[in-house]
């Protein structure tokens, strides 16, 4: 099959758009969609200047998503004096898996000449995920602990590094899965939080000193295209999945979505755009309420709706 835009061979066919693209035109199309998303989400404020640059903290896991995002951000803003990019890697303490992906992060940060910070569960909390998997006093899936700990460290360090935005590499499949999980669980408040945190009204970014708005510039790009981009550009991405991954419900949703996408191309895009509209209405509905209840955790000072935050309660259950 020939590329729609030139005479070279197509390396991919997108069912949802009907496009056949060669390597060069496919990569350009990914970059164009990421830059368009950055513009639409107003990530670069109009008054950003070299004297007072915006600081972007990027969660860099070493997986294909965050590696591709780092590469495209560096290509786009690497020489823009209005933007400072800092990569933040979290080491969960998973033997083999995380060591290899930390190597990928170091290699990429070196290639791109990116400031890179590494923090670990072990140093911060005195736990390693491998030990949590063995203990598991609450009988929860390890991903549940890991997700809480990772989010806590990303947010804490984004605030510590004075970030204007915390960027993560979530792709279209991740976001469509999360959207459906929230819908199927009937969790409207979670939808509101998801919206507030990820798309949030950026003009309010200065109001709360501890809250760092989230951005997900890859969320228009399907997972397969992110993987293909990483492969074609020969990026040092660490592909293997986490050995503890066991989010059963997400797995079921993922299968369902892939099947739907095959029969009805464009399903993921329409789920996400509809979901973001609903989530925005939910956010309006909850905004006054949830911020009023927010207070500081007695142990660590994080924002929480209870006396002790979820991370501190989980750490306590692990008796560390
Ligand atoms: Zn072409
Ligand atoms: Zn706490």
């Amino acid at each position: 099959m020939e590329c729609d835009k030139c005479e070279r061979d197509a390396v991919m066919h997108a069912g949802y758009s009907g496009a056949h693209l060669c390597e060069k035109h496919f990569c350009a199309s990914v970059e164009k969609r990421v830059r368009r998303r950055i513009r639409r989400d107003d990530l670069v404020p109009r008054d950003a200047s070299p004297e007072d640059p915006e600081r972007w903290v990027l969660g860099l896991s070493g997986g294909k998503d965050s590696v591709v995002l780092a590469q495209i951000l560096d290509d786009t803003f690497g020489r823009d004096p209005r933007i400072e990019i800092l990569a933040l890697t979290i080491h969960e303490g998973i033997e083999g898996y995380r060591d290899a992906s930390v190597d990928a992060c170091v290699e990429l940060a070196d290639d791109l000449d990116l400031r890179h910070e590494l923090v670990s569960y072990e140093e911060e909390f005195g736990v390693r995920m491998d030990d949590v998997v063995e203990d598991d006093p609450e009988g929860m899936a390890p991903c549940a602990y890991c997700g809480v700990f990772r989010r806590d460290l990303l947010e804490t360090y984004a605030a510590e590094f004075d970030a204007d935005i915390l960027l993560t590499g979530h792709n279209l499949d991740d976001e469509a899965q999360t959207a459906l999980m929230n819908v199927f669980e009937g969790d409207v408040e979670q939808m509101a939080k998801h919206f507030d945190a990820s798309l949030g009204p950026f003009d309010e970014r200065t109001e709360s000193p501890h809250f760092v708005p989230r951005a997900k510039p890859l969320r228009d790009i399907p997972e397969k295209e992110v993987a293909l981009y990483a492969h074609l550009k020969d990026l040092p991405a660490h592909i293997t999945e986490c050995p503890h991954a066991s989010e059963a419900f997400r797995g079921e949703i993922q299968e369902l979505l892939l099947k739907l996408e095959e029969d009805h191309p464009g399903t993921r895009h329409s789920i996400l755009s509809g979901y973001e509209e609903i989530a925005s209405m939910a956010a309006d509905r909850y905004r006054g309420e949830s911020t009023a209840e927010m207070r500081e955790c007695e142990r660590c000072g994080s924002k929480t709706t209870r006396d002790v935050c979820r991370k501190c309660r989980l750490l306590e259950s692990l008796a560390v």
Side-chain angles (χ1 to χ4, degrees):
M1 200 51 124
E2 222 173 61
C3 173
D4 296 342
K5 305 198 172 206
C6 72
E7 319 230 295
R8 278 180 287 247
D9 284 342
V11 293
M12 65 86 69
H13 165 65
Y16 59 87
S17 65
H20 293 85
L21 297 172
C22 69
E23 176 168 346
K24 178 183 151 204
H25 284 112
F26 164 71
C27 290
S29 129
V30 170
E31 291 153 11
K32 189 173 146 196
R33 280 174 281 160
V34 174
R35 287 171 191 145
R36 186 181 59 198
R37 176 47 70 193
I38 289 172
R39 265 197 316 280
R40 288 194 177 158
D41 287 350
D42 281 331
L43 298 190
V44 183
R46 235 160 273 165
D47 60 0
S49 70
E51 289 73 42
D52 181 22
E54 290 290 297
R55 163 129 342 142
W56 290 0
V57 169
L58 164 67
L60 183 64
S61 70
K64 62 185 181 336
D65 302 298
S66 61
V67 163
V68 165
L69 181 57
Q71 178 70 53
I72 295 178
L73 288 178
D74 188 70
D75 287 343
T76 312
F77 298 105
R79 274 159 297 280
D80 186 334
R82 300 171 304 160
I83 309 289
E84 275 177 19
I85 303 172
L86 182 158
L88 173 62
T89 300
I90 314 281
H91 198 308
E92 298 97 341
I94 301 171
E95 196 72 41
Y97 164 73
R98 189 47 85 201
D99 298 327
S101 52
V102 166
D103 290 346
C105 295
V106 170
E107 188 185 335
L108 185 77
D110 242 29
D111 285 352
L112 302 181
D113 203 12
L114 211 57
R115 182 176 159 198
H116 184 220
E117 301 283 344
L118 178 64
V119 297
S120 71
Y121 288 2
E122 187 159 28
E123 272 170 47
E124 297 290 325
F125 305 135
V127 293
R128 307 168 71 253
M129 275 314 294
D130 285 339
D131 304 331
V132 173
V133 174
E134 288 196 357
D135 287 1
D136 192 16
E138 306 275 285
M140 300 194 317
C143 301
Y145 292 92
C146 199
V148 171
F149 295 160
R150 186 181 316 106
R151 202 170 320 124
D152 180 85
L153 286 185
L154 281 174
E155 283 170 7
T156 303
Y157 277 88
E160 177 149 334
F161 293 132
D162 239 349
D164 293 291
I165 310 177
L166 170 60
L167 301 105
T168 54
H170 293 85
N171 61 47
L172 177 63
D173 294 68
D174 296 329
E175 291 295 282
Q177 286 160 20
T178 303
L180 275 196
M181 286 165 76
N182 287 339
V183 170
F184 288 164
E185 284 166 348
D187 197 340
V188 180
E189 195 169 351
Q190 189 56 42
M191 292 181 203
K193 277 192 204 148
H194 187 232
F195 179 84
D196 252 356
S198 61
L199 302 161
F202 283 102
D203 50 343
E204 287 173 25
R205 70 173 89 186
T206 48
E207 276 182 18
S208 155
H210 300 297
F211 175 71
V212 178
R214 286 278 190 118
K216 297 171 179 171
L218 288 190
R219 72 182 193 283
D220 296 322
I221 317 289
E223 177 162 11
K224 258 169 105 177
E225 294 183 34
V226 177
L228 180 59
Y229 187 93
H231 171 71
L232 293 173
K233 293 273 181 181
D234 202 17
L235 298 178
H238 178 70
I239 310 279
T240 326
E241 271 193 35
C242 172
H244 303 316
S246 64
E247 262 193 302
F249 187 42
R250 185 175 286 274
E252 284 176 50
I253 299 277
Q254 182 181 23
E255 263 175 49
L256 177 70
L257 266 177
L258 289 176
K259 174 85 178 79
L260 280 172
E261 186 69 36
E262 213 177 287
D263 298 343
H264 312 277
T267 298
R268 288 165 303 183
H269 288 87
S270 52
I271 287 175
L272 196 60
S273 67
Y275 176 79
E276 288 187 354
E277 212 169 312
I278 296 170
S280 133
M281 290 187 252
D284 284 341
R285 152 90 172 69
Y286 280 98
R287 194 160 284 140
E289 279 177 33
S290 54
T291 48
E293 291 167 13
M294 280 293 179
R295 58 187 121 158
E296 286 184 1
C297 167
E298 285 173 3
R299 313 247 160 93
C300 74
S302 311
K303 285 212 294 182
T304 172
T305 50
R306 306 171 63 156
D307 293 338
V308 176
C309 77
R310 182 156 164 76
K311 169 203 69 189
C312 290
R313 279 181 281 133
L314 288 178
L315 284 171
E316 190 175 30
S317 76
L318 293 170
V320 290

